[in-house]
Amino acid sequence: MKKTLLTLLILLISFSVLKALDNKDSLELGFKYGIYGRYLLNEYFSSFRHLPDIPCCGNKFTSGTGKGYELGGLIEATGIDPFSFTIRVGYEQYSGLLKKIDDIPVIVDGESYPGKSELIIDSKFALFTFEPSISYKFVGNLAVFAGMPTGFLLDNNYHQKEEIIDPVDRGVFENGKRIRNDSTGKIPEVSNTQVSFIVGLSYELQMTKRNFLSLTPEISYRYLMTNLVKNIKWNWHSVNFGISIKYREPDPLPPPPPPPLSPPMPDYPAARTPSETRISVRAVQIDSNNNESNNLFIKVEDFITYNMRPLLNYVFFDENSSSIPNRYIRLDKNETSKFNMNNLHNLNSLETYYQALNIIGMRLQDNPKANITVTGTNSNFREEKGNTELSEQRANSVANYLINVWNIEENRIKIAARNLPKDASRRDIPEGDEENRRVEITSNDNSIFEPVFTIDTTRILSSTKFKFINEVSSEFDIKRWDLDIIQNNQIIKSFQGDGLPPNEIIWEINSESENARMFAGALKYKLYVKDAFGSVHSTNENLIPIEQITIDKKRIEGASDKEFEYYSLILFDYGKYTLSSAHKKVIDFVKNRVTPKSTISIIGYTDKIGEEEINDRISTNRAKSVAKMLDIENAETYGVGKRELLFDNNFPEGRFYCRTVKISIETPIEK
């Protein structure tokens, strides 16, 4: 491999020199001077058990990663198009981290058990570098280059240690510690000269009109042809991202043009005449059969809804922090008397959860015989590894809020701390670490964590489709248009674009965000256009009436009515669909709410973690498990996996609340 790379480089240089000599009559040599920098992403490959004279044992080191940088100056010889030759001189520093896992005996309580250890070698190198290279421009300023960087060692050091990783929280080596083979120093028998091969692409960007200053980004691949340490296999290859700034002596300015025979006439702008712009818009309503009507109206109907939202008994914390995050709603002591569960009626499940500390505080006040245990945990990873003190601080943060704000007696709150939670989330993904940084609250009274039940009024908008027909004529170019739908002087929907508006614009009103804004009154729509001179033209406001059918109106008129009920099951464990006792309690309640005339839908959900196919299967199984226990015929049952995320999955609580099943019941009200 090394001989092949050397041969290729020699052939490339030879070809370039011959071509330059062949065109020697037209040579106009020039030079560019500059500075450069590179960022290195190294991948190491090796085959050795230990560094020379450094105690170690177990399997061989086979691979590792590292990063580094290179800074320096350059000189580039040009004028031999399409070739150029460059010499770079600089300083280079990079690191390398090698890891291996070994099966070892671990001493636990005086007995030997099988375990695992992780041995790492963290190395650093500093070099003076000299790099000759040749470039070939093949498309415009895009060039391929190759070279042979040679590094002369200035400094090096290493840090080695072996640590028990299984079991994670107990066990020691024969030295009575969880770490052995811990050493730091210079690497023995290190190679003082490092020779490598580099090939890459670059693109030169001119920064000045006279092209004497340029910026050249580059990407390259580099292979180390010598071993880092004598007599052992340990080298690397890397992907590099670099940039250089080059300067050359600018070309002389061209001679000034001869003076004109006579001064040119001034170029006065053409006089602007008043704009003749005609603009109109009208709306038609489209029914389910695509029939159009000029009789416009929107129907909004109010219904009674019952909502049951689960209460997650976890509080999640930021990495290496014991402060309750700001997304959790906290009150002042004098605000607790005004806290009322009825005020939670307009919140979704996640918004209700952020009131969990206040809900638990109020329920503890209402149930003086109830006690709780507050258990702090950590991710047992990086800075949090084995830090049960941090776990206890997190538990104390929650307990202090309940004591100081909600006046809960200290003797009713037990503090506990551990590393990972008893039912820990996955540890092979960052999301799992986030979920394990938490406080778990348990109680001798299950009512403390009962779901939150509220009675709300939901406004439902009948699916409605409108077509807006636009006509615009103008002497001047139209640069922009806007079609605004307005209610109570607020824009609730806007269509816009550049140029002329389309002849037809379709508006379907069926989203929850728009439903919430619809109430008695009327909508207005108005079309605006802006011409090339900045003049804005608009139509008059046109009306779309809204018919609101309130609950009181339906009762007075004896109109048909119905109720909606929404239940979310207490959250499933990751990847599970089996029903717990908490699930069964909610399902038993739902059974009593169903009548023969009820329409039921059962929908399963998951979080964003995992493959889509697997999540679809898990969510479907969750819905089917609930449907089977409900034992209700003709229930619509399906799963949506992670294709429809109920909540923001960037936070652990959002992922937990997505691991659920939603039960919706629509029941006609008997007159």
Side-chain angles (χ1 to χ4, degrees):
M1 179 67 176
K2 299 176 184 177
K3 292 182 179 178
T4 302
L5 293 175
L6 285 171
T7 302
L8 288 173
L9 185 61
I10 291 171
L11 289 173
L12 181 61
I13 294 173
S14 301
F15 174 78
S16 305
V17 172
L18 290 173
K19 187 172 179 65
L21 292 174
D22 187 55
N23 295 281
K24 62 183 179 180
D25 294 337
S26 61
L27 290 182
E28 296 183 5
L29 289 178
F31 295 93
K32 296 180 180 180
Y33 309 90
I35 57 176
Y36 75 96
R38 285 187 182 136
Y39 180 71
L40 290 65
L41 293 175
N42 295 356
E43 182 179 7
Y44 293 82
F45 45 98
S46 58
S47 180
F48 67 92
R49 285 186 171 84
H50 60 84
L51 295 174
D53 302 324
I54 306 297
C56 190
C57 55
N59 301 322
K60 292 182 178 181
F61 290 99
T62 58
S63 63
T65 58
K67 56 186 178 182
Y69 67 90
E70 183 180 349
L71 300 171
L74 62 86
I75 180 171
E76 178 180 341
T78 62
I80 323 172
D81 291 336
F83 296 94
S84 63
F85 300 90
T86 304
I87 299 279
R88 302 183 189 224
V89 178
Y91 172 82
E92 180 178 320
Q93 181 173 300
Y94 63 86
S95 63
L97 182 65
L98 304 181
K99 295 183 179 181
K100 65 176 181 176
I101 306 293
D102 288 329
D103 294 321
I104 58 162
V106 176
I107 301 172
V108 181
D109 298 330
E111 299 290 333
S112 180
Y113 295 91
K116 293 183 184 292
S117 69
E118 181 182 62
L119 181 66
I120 66 168
I121 296 178
D122 189 3
S123 59
K124 290 182 173 61
F125 300 86
L127 305 97
F128 168 78
T129 61
F130 175 81
E131 180 186 325
S133 65
I134 182 171
S135 298
Y136 174 77
K137 289 185 178 179
F138 61 95
V139 179
N141 287 336
L142 184 65
V144 60
F145 68 90
M148 186 170 291
T150 301
F152 303 95
L153 190 67
L154 299 176
D155 194 15
N156 78 93
N157 60 76
Y158 81 96
H159 177 215
Q160 172 185 285
K161 70 174 182 178
E162 184 181 7
E163 185 174 3
I164 296 173
I165 61 172
D166 184 20
V168 296
D169 56 354
R170 63 190 185 278
V172 295
F173 289 111
E174 68 280 354
N175 62 0
K177 300 179 180 179
R178 291 181 61 82
I179 294 177
R180 69 179 180 182
N181 294 324
D182 192 359
S183 62
T184 302
K186 302 293 183 182
I187 302 175
E189 301 182 25
V190 67
S191 298
N192 291 319
T193 303
Q194 300 179 8
V195 181
S196 55
F197 173 78
I198 189 170
V199 63
L201 291 172
S202 66
Y203 189 85
E204 189 170 32
L205 302 167
Q206 303 301 328
M207 300 172 62
T208 59
K209 291 183 178 181
R210 297 173 63 191
N211 299 335
F212 61 86
L213 196 64
S214 61
L215 182 72
T216 306
E218 66 178 51
I219 183 171
S220 59
Y221 168 80
R222 185 172 167 187
Y223 175 79
L224 180 65
M225 297 186 292
T226 56
N227 285 319
L228 291 171
V229 178
K230 301 174 183 177
N231 301 319
I232 66 172
K233 183 180 179 181
W234 183 18
N235 52 4
W236 51 261
H237 60 167
S238 68
V239 175
N240 316 302
F241 304 91
I243 194 165
S244 59
I245 299 176
K246 304 173 188 177
Y247 170 84
R248 70 172 181 87
E249 186 176 349
D251 297 329
L253 292 172
L261 298 177
S262 60
M265 293 294 293
D267 186 15
Y268 295 109
R272 180 187 170 188
T273 59
S275 172
E276 291 293 334
T277 299
R278 292 178 293 276
I279 173 176
S280 68
V281 60
R282 66 183 181 91
V284 295
Q285 194 158 349
I286 305 174
D287 63 20
S288 57
N289 297 318
N290 285 326
N291 297 317
E292 297 182 359
S293 171
N294 294 317
N295 184 23
L296 310 180
F297 75 97
I298 298 174
K299 181 180 177 182
V300 179
E301 188 170 358
D302 292 346
F303 299 93
I304 296 293
T305 60
Y306 301 87
N307 288 279
M308 179 180 286
R309 298 181 286 274
L311 187 65
L312 181 62
N313 59 326
Y314 300 161
V315 178
F316 298 95
F317 288 78
D318 297 333
E319 186 175 11
N320 209 32
S321 172
S322 61
S323 299
I324 299 174
N326 292 331
R327 60 186 184 272
Y328 292 92
I329 308 299
R330 284 165 290 171
L331 306 175
D332 293 330
K333 191 172 183 177
N334 58 0
E335 294 176 323
T336 57
S337 60
K338 301 177 183 178
F339 184 77
N340 191 327
M341 296 283 283
N342 293 329
N343 295 333
L344 306 178
H345 68 276
N346 60 342
L347 305 181
N348 62 35
S349 294
L350 191 59
E351 292 168 337
T352 303
Y353 162 77
Y354 286 131
Q355 293 276 6
L357 291 176
N358 301 314
I359 295 170
I360 293 170
M362 188 184 70
R363 288 175 173 177
L364 287 172
Q365 282 189 347
D366 295 339
N367 298 272
K369 293 184 179 180
N371 298 321
I372 61 172
T373 299
V374 182
T375 304
T377 69
N378 61 65
S379 64
N380 204 31
F381 181 64
R382 290 196 302 214
E383 291 87 350
E384 295 194 10
K385 189 175 183 66
N387 195 350
T388 55
E389 183 179 351
L390 175 62
S391 302
E392 186 175 357
Q393 291 171 356
R394 287 170 173 170
N396 281 323
S397 294
V398 172
N400 289 336
Y401 178 79
L402 295 173
I403 294 168
N404 298 328
V405 176
W406 284 95
N407 290 324
I408 308 303
E409 297 86 349
E410 291 189 38
N411 60 5
R412 297 175 60 191
I413 303 177
K414 179 182 177 182
I415 303 295
R418 55 183 295 151
N419 286 319
L420 290 171
K422 182 180 179 181
D423 297 319
S425 296
R426 290 177 56 178
R427 300 192 63 201
D428 58 337
I429 55 175
E431 291 86 350
D433 294 328
E434 293 175 357
E435 294 175 11
N436 291 330
R437 299 193 297 261
R438 68 194 191 210
V439 165
E440 300 179 342
I441 309 173
T442 56
S443 177
N444 62 335
D445 187 342
N446 292 330
S447 68
I448 302 300
F449 309 111
E450 288 285 340
V452 177
F453 189 89
T454 59
I455 302 175
D456 310 329
T457 300
T458 296
R459 182 166 294 135
I460 297 179
L461 174 69
S462 58
S463 294
T464 305
K465 183 189 291 186
F466 293 99
K467 179 196 293 185
F468 297 95
I469 303 170
N470 310 297
E471 294 183 7
V472 178
S473 64
S474 177
E475 297 178 12
F476 307 115
D477 290 339
I478 300 300
K479 295 298 185 182
R480 183 172 178 82
W481 62 271
D482 295 79
L483 175 62
D484 294 338
I485 292 90
I486 306 161
Q487 188 173 60
N488 291 340
N489 296 320
Q490 291 186 337
I491 298 175
I492 66 168
K493 183 68 177 179
S494 183
F495 301 90
Q496 52 196 223
D498 296 326
L500 286 169
N503 294 330
E504 297 180 351
I505 298 173
I506 302 297
W507 183 35
E508 292 191 60
I509 314 173
N510 53 18
S511 70
E512 293 183 359
S513 61
E514 291 172 327
N515 292 354
R517 301 176 182 180
M518 300 296 177
F519 48 85
L523 294 181
K524 301 176 182 178
Y525 62 94
K526 191 173 184 178
L527 178 65
Y528 302 82
V529 297
K530 185 177 183 180
D531 64 27
F533 289 96
S535 297
V536 177
H537 312 270
S538 64
T539 64
N540 295 325
E541 291 182 339
N542 297 284
L543 300 181
I544 301 177
I546 293 181
E547 179 187 3
Q548 186 181 24
I549 304 174
T550 64
I551 294 172
D552 289 340
K553 184 178 181 180
K554 287 188 285 187
R555 291 174 179 174
I556 292 171
E557 296 177 355
S560 60
D561 198 5
K562 51 189 173 182
E563 293 177 341
F564 294 88
E565 301 181 41
Y566 304 102
Y567 303 91
S568 295
L569 294 192
I570 192 67
L571 316 173
F572 289 80
D573 292 333
Y574 175 82
K576 301 296 177 60
Y577 55 85
T578 53
L579 298 176
S580 66
S581 58
H583 296 139
K584 295 174 183 177
K585 187 175 180 180
V586 175
I587 292 172
D588 289 340
F589 181 87
V590 172
K591 280 185 178 180
N592 296 324
R593 300 293 301 174
V594 176
T595 73
K597 296 183 179 181
S598 297
T599 302
I600 303 170
S601 70
I602 304 169
I603 308 174
Y605 299 86
T606 69
D607 58 27
K608 70 175 183 180
I609 303 172
E611 298 179 2
E612 185 169 312
E613 182 179 352
I614 296 175
N615 283 10
D616 284 344
R617 185 168 61 251
I618 292 171
S619 64
T620 300
N621 287 335
R622 286 172 177 171
K624 287 182 177 179
S625 298
V626 172
K628 184 177 179 181
M629 181 165 287
L630 277 173
D631 192 25
I632 297 174
E633 296 182 358
N634 302 322
E636 184 183 24
T637 304
Y638 60 95
V640 297
K642 65 178 183 180
R643 290 175 283 112
E644 296 181 20
L645 295 176
L646 293 173
F647 304 105
D648 185 358
N649 274 218
N650 291 322
F651 293 107
E653 59 270 20
R655 297 191 291 273
F656 268 86
Y657 271 93
C658 283
R659 302 165 190 165
T660 189
V661 169
K662 293 182 69 174
I663 305 173
S664 301
I665 305 173
E666 180 181 329
T667 304
I669 298 177
E670 300 291 342
K671 295 182 182 180

